[in-house]
Amino acid sequence: MFAHINTKIRMYYFSSISRGINVFLIFLTLLTSCNKSSVTISELKEQSGDSLDCAIQFIFKELPNRKTSVSTELTDYYKYVDSLYKNENDYPITKRSISGYLKNHKPKRKYINDIEHISSNQIINNILLAYKYRNKSWNNHLSDDQFNEYVIPYKIGDEYVEDWRTYFINKYGHIVDSLSQVSDSISAELLCFELIKVLKQMHRVNIHSTNYFTNTLKPSTLDIMTCGTCKDYCDLVTLIFRSFGIPVATDGLLGWHTWNALICKDKTIDFYIEATPKDNHLKEWLDVVGWHNLPKIYRETFSENPQSLALNHGSEAVPNFFLNPYIIDVTEEYYKGYNITITPTNDISSKNFAYLKVWNNKFIYVDWARRDNDDRFCFNNISDSVLYFPSLFVNEIKNTPLSYPFVISQNTEHYFKPNHEKKEQMVLWRKFFIRRDHNKYLKAMVGGKFMGANKPDFSDEEIIFEIKEMPEMRWNEALIENKNRYRYVRYCSPDWSYGNVGELEFYSDSCDSPLTGTIIGSQTSKDENTTIENVFDGDVLTYFDSEFPHNSWFGLDLGEAYTINKIRYISRNDDNFIQPGQEYELFYADLNGWQSMGKKIATADSLIYDSVPSEAIYILKNRTKGHEERPFSYENGQQIWW
């Protein structure tokens, strides 16, 4: 039966374009052909008019372009995650289980056209359920085009199509109904705020960014998931909100981080399932990642963007990101952008398009421009205080710099051109900036005390050393003047610090190596991976994380009394500081890409490079381990992170 119906969908779609047939009449015909329809012709007539006709045409126009991802392996994956979410409540176990499954069972992707398998009944019911909430106080500011784009769509991406509107209306409708009974004039912002409060209580949000979590989930799966990517949670919120006619979209630097956007009358409000519109999610997130602004912000759309590079690049190879026609640039809704025209420094004879990239442990393409008649490239509406690398695209691995890296500050462009006439010595302490969270761990150690005693209950304890200033994000060393001897030594952490320490070492003048003994401590950890044993395991990345915020202590029973002459300690950290014995390599950027200043094995907690071209952009790589790297400039003897 469905095949018969879909044949009619195709037939009427093309006849409506070629003959100008009223699309509303098409749906009446399809409706009468579908004996399982949950709506009647009279209901459809009641909803008819220019607005509904516009919505039907919108769906019909996009229907031939939409696809669904299917395969036997993908079906098995959906069954697996559904069962896991229903039966496993422990987030770390769930995450490890899904990651392990996808390592061993990578679902193959096949695509079928929606027009081949979506029934007319599904399409009709989706539109009618959407129109049930048309012209409400929270969406009456929308034009027909906006309502069609941000409420009407029957799906988001390539996921399985389900009757998610009915599902979410039945599950969350009482929230909207209760608010409607209080007031008949509810703003989109207020409704968003109230829904998010409930969703935060109903959904335990665990965010991860594991590369294996890249499969589009079904709506019914999204509603029961116990861990997901930011995109998964954006999809969940989008479907729930659109079920009630609330206009939302997914914005972000797509493929990296996304959030929800509420389309209000005169502004766009960013929010997230963990953060209400009042929490300023984007600013908070930028603080965490250490950026002033995002370089570009794109929005996912249901309709094709006719101005997209995907539909205009001809035969020229372009980055994968821009092969997506379902994105639009909405940076101007968030920032005052700037326009910049770049005159190429390298040969562009074979290229019609150029790009801006940014670095986030790898290059990410964020913008494109077409070559003008003067062989220049004008990039519009880009953010300030961001380091850009103008480039020509060859393939996803290879590219050619278009000019030197630059930033825009106070509407002025500054290019980082290496000065080979003015070379300098550089002293480097890190390869990556210190995140806000790790700064928090440093501050939390202030007030911490190292104690010594000879009774196991520490009733005779003495203070050996107290941390009075914020330590560095590397090994810190305290020389001890107290010459008393102690069998028991410990660290007592300040309140609200959860005992977060990465490593701790006690030294005696009778031994060059750290003292060893039986590990002792006061509290249990939050989980099996953050016990007090981590503080003495020699791995700076492991740490203790107490179950309780106060009264944490841990130390050693040395077996006999020693004079402590030195203590070395490091907070919970990111392992991005310079460590003796590890190999590093410094690069600077020029018109031929990254140029190496050579490899060095660190002998101290800093690296010294001589005769480095000044005024450039640099990056330091750890060749021994680790993957986090951040570009920096070098000014007045300091690394300035970009």
Side-chain angles (χ1 to χ4, degrees):
M1 174 185 157
F2 280 177
H4 172 67
I5 293 172
N6 292 324
T7 300
K8 288 193 173 186
I9 288 181
R10 293 195 300 275
M11 178 183 71
Y12 286 118
Y13 168 75
F14 290 113
S15 67
S16 67
I17 295 176
S18 61
R19 302 178 188 176
I21 295 176
N22 187 297
V23 180
F24 179 63
L25 296 179
I26 296 172
F27 265 61
L28 289 181
T29 305
L30 291 173
L31 188 61
T32 57
S33 300
C34 183
N35 58 21
K36 291 186 178 181
S37 176
S38 61
V39 296
T40 66
I41 294 179
S42 61
E43 287 176 319
L44 196 57
K45 285 182 177 180
E46 188 177 333
Q47 296 284 358
S48 65
D50 293 340
S51 178
L52 182 58
D53 191 59
C54 178
I56 296 170
Q57 291 189 51
F58 174 79
I59 294 296
F60 258 63
K61 179 182 178 182
E62 298 303 326
L63 189 60
N65 304 321
R66 306 302 304 201
K67 299 178 184 295
T68 295
S69 179
V70 297
S71 69
T72 302
E73 294 86 355
L74 198 57
T75 300
D76 291 341
Y77 169 69
Y78 286 147
K79 291 179 180 178
Y80 177 79
V81 295
D82 281 349
S83 175
L84 189 64
Y85 288 149
K86 291 175 182 176
N87 298 297
E88 179 57 65
N89 293 319
D90 188 87
Y91 159 62
I93 293 177
T94 302
K95 180 179 177 180
R96 288 196 299 269
S97 298
I98 297 179
S99 179
Y101 180 93
L102 289 171
K103 283 181 181 178
N104 298 313
H105 309 84
K106 294 182 179 178
K108 298 178 181 178
R109 287 182 176 274
K110 297 178 182 178
Y111 295 93
I112 58 175
N113 296 322
D114 283 0
I115 202 170
E116 300 289 341
H117 77 101
I118 303 297
S119 74
S120 57
N121 191 37
Q122 289 175 293
I123 296 173
I124 294 169
N125 283 329
N126 173 76
I127 293 178
L128 282 181
L129 286 171
Y131 262 80
K132 176 182 178 182
Y133 290 95
R134 183 62 169 124
N135 293 321
K136 297 292 185 180
S137 59
W138 54 84
N139 63 35
N140 58 17
H141 62 281
L142 298 177
S143 66
D144 285 345
D145 288 343
Q146 288 176 313
F147 189 79
N148 292 342
E149 187 64 68
Y150 302 125
V151 177
I152 284 291
Y154 61 90
K155 66 188 310 187
I156 294 175
D158 61 359
E159 76 276 14
Y160 281 168
V161 175
E162 297 178 328
D163 185 11
W164 48 270
R165 290 189 191 270
T166 298
Y167 176 84
F168 289 125
I169 288 172
N170 289 336
K171 184 169 183 178
Y172 301 104
H174 65 282
I175 304 171
V176 178
D177 292 342
S178 62
L179 288 171
S180 299
Q181 291 173 4
V182 175
S183 172
D184 58 1
S185 181
I186 305 170
S187 68
E189 188 172 355
L190 175 60
L191 187 54
C192 173
F193 181 83
E194 294 300 325
L195 270 172
I196 285 296
K197 282 199 303 185
V198 175
L199 292 177
K200 285 167 67 175
Q201 296 171 355
M202 297 183 68
H203 291 270
R204 185 177 60 178
V205 180
N206 292 303
I207 304 298
H208 59 70
S209 56
T210 307
N211 292 333
Y212 296 106
F213 294 78
T214 57
N215 297 278
T216 304
L217 297 176
K218 299 179 297 181
S220 56
T221 302
L222 291 172
D223 194 49
I224 62 171
M225 66 182 172
T226 54
C227 64
T229 64
C230 54
K231 180 61 169 62
D232 291 333
Y233 284 103
C234 283
D235 287 351
L236 173 63
V237 169
T238 297
L239 294 172
I240 293 174
F241 277 45
R242 288 182 178 179
S243 297
F244 302 101
I246 307 171
V248 292
T250 295
D251 286 2
L253 193 51
L254 305 178
W256 184 29
H257 179 61
T258 56
W259 58 87
N260 288 112
L262 183 66
I263 314 301
C264 296
K265 184 175 182 179
D266 53 2
K267 60 182 176 181
T268 297
I269 299 176
D270 62 280
F271 71 99
Y272 200 58
I273 192 170
E274 287 188 309
T276 69
K278 297 180 180 180
D279 293 334
N280 203 339
H281 161 74
L282 180 55
K283 182 180 183 304
E284 286 292 310
W285 181 77
L286 287 170
D287 286 345
V288 171
V289 298
W291 276 10
H292 299 287
N293 295 324
L294 273 177
K296 275 287 181 177
I297 298 176
Y298 289 92
R299 177 170 298 159
E300 288 187 343
T301 62
F302 182 78
S303 60
E304 284 188 330
N305 173 14
Q307 306 303 318
S308 66
L309 185 57
L311 302 181
N312 291 280
H313 67 92
S315 60
E316 185 169 325
V318 302
N320 289 337
F321 177 77
F322 292 112
L323 289 175
N324 180 3
Y326 301 106
I327 56 174
I328 57 173
D329 184 349
V330 293
T331 311
E332 64 181 356
E333 295 184 26
Y334 291 83
Y335 304 126
K336 175 187 175 183
Y338 298 89
N339 299 338
I340 179 172
T341 299
I342 297 179
T343 301
T345 308
N346 281 331
D347 177 38
I348 62 167
S349 57
S350 62
K351 299 294 183 181
N352 292 314
F353 301 98
Y355 305 89
L356 295 181
K357 302 183 300 183
V358 297
W359 181 270
N360 183 48
N361 289 324
K362 64 178 181 179
F363 278 124
I364 301 172
Y365 291 92
V366 296
D367 200 13
W368 64 276
R370 188 190 298 268
R371 180 168 64 175
D372 65 18
N373 293 332
D374 296 318
D375 289 341
R376 301 177 304 174
F377 297 91
C378 181
F379 295 92
N380 297 318
N381 201 33
I382 63 174
S383 302
D384 64 355
S385 304
V386 175
L387 178 66
Y388 296 97
F389 293 79
S391 302
L392 299 171
F393 180 78
V394 178
N395 55 50
E396 292 294 331
I397 298 175
K398 184 179 180 181
N399 59 82
T400 303
L402 184 68
S403 68
Y404 295 103
F406 72 91
V407 296
I408 297 178
S409 179
Q410 298 179 344
N411 207 20
T412 301
E413 305 151 28
H414 174 74
Y415 287 86
F416 293 90
K417 180 179 179 180
N419 187 341
H420 292 274
E421 303 301 320
K422 182 183 176 183
K423 297 185 177 181
E424 61 182 333
Q425 183 186 79
M426 295 176 63
V427 181
L428 307 177
W429 297 90
R430 293 182 57 83
K431 64 184 182 69
F432 197 78
F433 81 106
I434 298 178
R435 291 187 177 91
R436 185 181 67 177
D437 281 353
H438 287 101
N439 252 322
K440 176 182 68 177
Y441 303 137
L442 293 172
K443 293 177 181 177
M445 291 196 74
V446 177
K449 296 180 178 67
F450 295 92
M451 318 295 290
N454 286 298
K455 294 182 179 180
D457 63 357
F458 284 87
S459 59
D460 63 340
E461 70 179 3
E462 297 177 347
I463 297 176
I464 302 175
F465 178 76
E466 181 177 356
I467 302 173
K468 296 184 177 180
E469 297 180 353
M470 190 171 79
E472 300 288 344
M473 180 64 78
R474 55 178 181 266
W475 280 103
N476 295 265
E477 188 172 291
L479 300 179
I480 309 302
E481 296 181 357
N482 186 334
K483 300 303 180 182
N484 293 336
R485 299 169 66 85
Y486 305 103
R487 173 175 171 173
Y488 303 97
V489 289
R490 68 176 179 175
Y491 170 73
C492 296
S493 66
D495 287 348
W496 297 109
S497 69
Y498 289 89
N500 285 168
V501 172
E503 284 294 309
L504 177 57
E505 296 177 346
F506 295 92
Y507 290 81
S508 172
D509 54 10
S510 62
C511 183
D512 293 333
S513 301
L515 295 170
T516 59
T518 302
I519 298 173
I520 54 178
S522 65
Q523 292 180 344
T524 57
S525 59
K526 288 181 181 176
D527 61 57
E528 61 184 10
N529 298 312
T530 58
T531 63
I532 57 175
E533 284 75 17
N534 290 343
V535 180
F536 303 97
D537 67 355
D539 184 349
V540 297
L541 269 180
T542 61
Y543 56 88
F544 173 58
D545 194 17
S546 173
E547 185 179 2
F548 306 102
H550 310 313
N551 303 318
S552 294
W553 68 267
F554 39 84
L556 296 172
D557 173 357
L558 301 175
E560 59 180 290
Y562 289 89
T563 298
I564 306 301
N565 72 331
K566 183 173 66 175
I567 300 172
R568 296 179 75 232
Y569 61 94
I570 183 170
S571 69
R572 179 175 172 177
N573 66 90
D574 60 3
D575 196 18
N576 286 316
F577 50 92
I578 305 303
Q579 294 199 60
Q582 297 185 14
E583 186 178 54
Y584 298 85
E585 186 172 8
L586 177 67
F587 297 83
Y588 67 90
D590 71 3
L591 292 178
N592 293 309
W594 293 114
Q595 305 302 311
S596 176
M597 288 297 299
K599 298 178 181 179
K600 285 181 178 288
I601 295 178
T603 58
D605 55 3
S606 64
L607 284 170
I608 297 177
Y609 274 87
D610 294 310
S611 300
V612 181
S614 62
E615 303 171 16
I617 285 294
Y618 312 92
I619 200 164
L620 182 66
K621 295 178 178 287
N622 186 330
R623 294 305 191 187
T624 301
K625 65 175 184 177
H627 65 278
E628 290 185 323
E629 300 147 357
R630 191 70 166 256
F632 61 92
S633 55
Y634 196 75
E635 303 172 22
N636 300 318
Q638 299 292 322
Q639 291 173 270
I640 309 298
W641 302 101
W642 294 98

